[in-house]
Amino acid sequence: VTAVDRELVIAAQRGDQVAFMDLVRARLDRLFGIARRILRDVDRAEDALQDALVIAWRDLPDLRDPDRFDFWLQRVLANMCIEHARRDRRRYSKLEVLELSDHAARDELAGVVDRDIVDRAFRRLKAEERTVLVLRHYLGYEPAVIAEMLGVSGGTIRSRLHHAHRAMRAAIDADARATAVGGSAV
Amino acid sequence: MNRPPDVELVLRDYFADDGFTAPDHVLDVVEERIARHPRRLAWRLRGRPIVNTYAKLALAAAAVLLVAIVGYNLIPGRSTTGGPKPTPTAIPTSAPTIAPTTAPTNARASTPVLPAPAELQGRWLTDIAPDVAILTLTPTNFTISWLGGDSGRIEVEGDQITFRGRSNPECPSGGTYRWSIEGDKLHLEPVGTDPCPFQTEWAGNKTYTRYD
């Protein structure tokens, strides 16, 4: 957080909505990227981001250290994404795998793995596991930081990471085997 | 045979920035929502004091004074020498309106669907994690501001209210709740099972406080 941002955070804490919107505007694409990666759906990501920002506005006076604004805001968003994903799961419990919404993103990963394979495997994970993967591999946070962000133990985060990696690994391996015998994995 | 790629590298590629930007209307919606979001009221609902020390002292003094006056007037014999007795209309008029326009459940079939009674109309507020929910009731419509929000028609029959939200295509017949008002509290209790999952979250066994 820059010195200017710090002033904006303090102003926003005191009720300055313009300052809050300035802070949010500068971070919007990044925040939207987090929500979209966790929820894998543009519309739901928009809803979750909007709700998270309203909650952030409401709870901003609770933030003791303005320098931790980004971390705090990402925590609000990550938890909101989990909340939205849980609600969607209840509402659409019969849908195990959702249709792809990011068709533009269908290409090859690391030159080897089809994005659809990774995408399908990723969508099958629980919301908590998807969130941990995004925080780890998109934002680059260490497990201890993720644990603090989500309010759970480090062991829980390591366990979620382990399970998520294993699930992704299994999906990729299955694809590799299918390719090796000349079949199509998709 | 090629060695399968490292899963962490695959994930890093998968999450790599793809130039997606947030739609402009996200900010517009947020700006509009926070402009009408009762930040201070939310604090109060969450149990945080919003009054300063002097205001608290003044409120405490006023409460003590009120108790003393009421107590003094309740002393036997005081009523003959005290000030004018309160007229019957001084009894809070909310008493008759506290109970919904009573209609026994077994008489529902013959009870016409009416607009929401006056005591039901207005804005009601409650704290449902992770946000404050604001339920606005007009004679024939409702709006709920909570998470994604919803709005639609209401039908009131006696002590039962049916919400038919526009965002609930999976339950066109809506969900029915028994309502009761006690003081400034509105309580909603499901009648049977509400087929609308989102509605259940903000209406099922929820108690709202009158906001205005």
Side-chain angles (χ1 to χ4, degrees), chain A residues 12-15 17 20-21 24-25 28-30 32 36-37 40 42 46 49-51 53-55 57-62 80 83-84 87 90-91 102 109-110 112-113 115 118-119 122 133-134 137-138 165 168-169 172-173 180, chain B residues 1 3-31 33-39 42-43 46 48 127 129-132 146-148 167-168 170 197-198 201:
Chain A
Q13 285 183 306
R14 291 175 180 156
Q17 292 181 8
F20 181 75
M21 294 310 296
V24 166
R25 195 171 288 110
L28 198 66
D29 289 343
R30 182 74 161 167
F32 183 62
R36 200 168 56 79
R37 280 165 177 80
R40 306 306 303 166
V42 172
E46 278 182 28
L49 177 55
Q50 286 164 3
D51 288 342
L53 293 174
V54 173
I55 299 295
W57 163 253
R58 187 193 72 182
D59 291 349
L60 190 56
D62 292 344
M80 183 58 75
E83 173 70 26
H84 271 251
R87 192 145 57 85
R90 284 198 293 273
R91 207 183 274 193
D102 305 342
L109 277 174
V112 182
V113 185
R115 180 175 281 272
V118 181
D119 202 49
F122 185 74
L133 285 185
V134 170
H137 299 296
Y138 178 55
H165 282 166
M168 300 298 293
R169 170 91 271 156
I172 293 165
D173 286 351
Chain B
M1 194 171 77
R3 189 173 176 274
D6 182 83
V7 73
E8 297 203 11
L9 283 178
V10 169
L11 283 166
R12 222 163 289 157
D13 270 3
Y14 178 63
F15 291 136
D17 272 316
D18 48 17
F20 242 92
T21 56
D24 292 339
H25 64 257
V26 171
L27 268 188
D28 297 337
V29 171
V30 171
E31 198 161 16
R33 283 178 65 185
I34 67 170
R36 62 181 167 82
H37 200 81
R39 186 192 248 183
W43 291 356
R46 296 162 70 204
R48 293 175 199 172
D127 202 6
D131 199 359
V132 171
W146 181 65
L147 297 185
S167 304
N168 291 297
E170 71 270 38
F198 179 59
E201 292 186 43

Side-chain angles (χ1 to χ4, degrees), chain A residues 5 14 25 44 55 57 64 72 74 76 85 105 107 109 123 150 164-165 174 176-178 185:
Chain A
D5 281 352
R14 291 175 180 156
R25 195 171 288 110
R44 288 175 195 164
I55 299 295
W57 163 253
R64 292 186 180 179
W72 174 83
Q74 286 167 4
V76 172
D107 58 2
L109 277 174
R123 286 163 191 265
L150 298 181
H165 282 166
R177 278 196 300 275

Side-chain angles (χ1 to χ4, degrees), chain B residues 76-111:
Chain B
R78 287 299 311 160
S79 58
T80 57
T81 56
K85 287 182 186 176
T87 63
T89 53
I91 296 169
T93 52
S94 59
T97 58
I98 280 172
T101 315
T102 46
T105 308
N106 57 11
R108 270 176 60 78
S110 59
T111 310

Side-chain angles (χ1 to χ4, degrees), chain A residues 126-158:
Chain A
K126 290 179 182 170
E128 293 84 348
E129 292 166 346
R130 295 203 303 265
T131 303
V132 169
L133 285 185
V134 170
L135 295 176
R136 179 79 186 100
H137 299 296
Y138 178 55
L139 295 181
Y141 286 127
E142 292 298 323
V145 179
I146 300 172
E148 184 192 352
M149 185 177 270
L150 298 181
V152 296
S153 71
T156 301
I157 295 302
R158 281 189 290 277

Side-chain angles (χ1 to χ4, degrees), chain B residues 121-209:
Chain B
Q121 294 176 36
R123 285 209 291 175
W124 301 88
L125 217 136
T126 194
D127 202 6
I128 309 172
D131 199 359
V132 171
I134 301 175
L135 174 63
T136 305
L137 296 174
T138 68
T140 55
N141 290 292
F142 81 95
T143 304
I144 180 72
S145 297
W146 181 65
L147 297 185
D150 194 8
S151 62
R153 306 278 298 171
I154 53 169
E155 289 175 7
V156 179
E157 293 182 58
D159 64 347
Q160 297 190 13
I161 180 169
T162 300
F163 296 98
R164 298 184 208 281
R166 295 190 184 91
S167 304
N168 291 297
E170 71 270 38
C171 52
S173 59
T176 302
Y177 293 79
R178 184 166 287 110
W179 63 274
S180 58
I181 297 176
E182 202 171 321
D184 65 346
K185 305 286 185 196
L186 165 65
H187 184 69
L188 296 171
E189 184 185 324
V191 176
T193 305
D194 184 345
C196 319
F198 179 59
Q199 200 161 276
T200 309
E201 292 186 43
W202 59 260
N205 289 310
K206 292 287 183 294
T207 299
Y208 283 76
T209 303

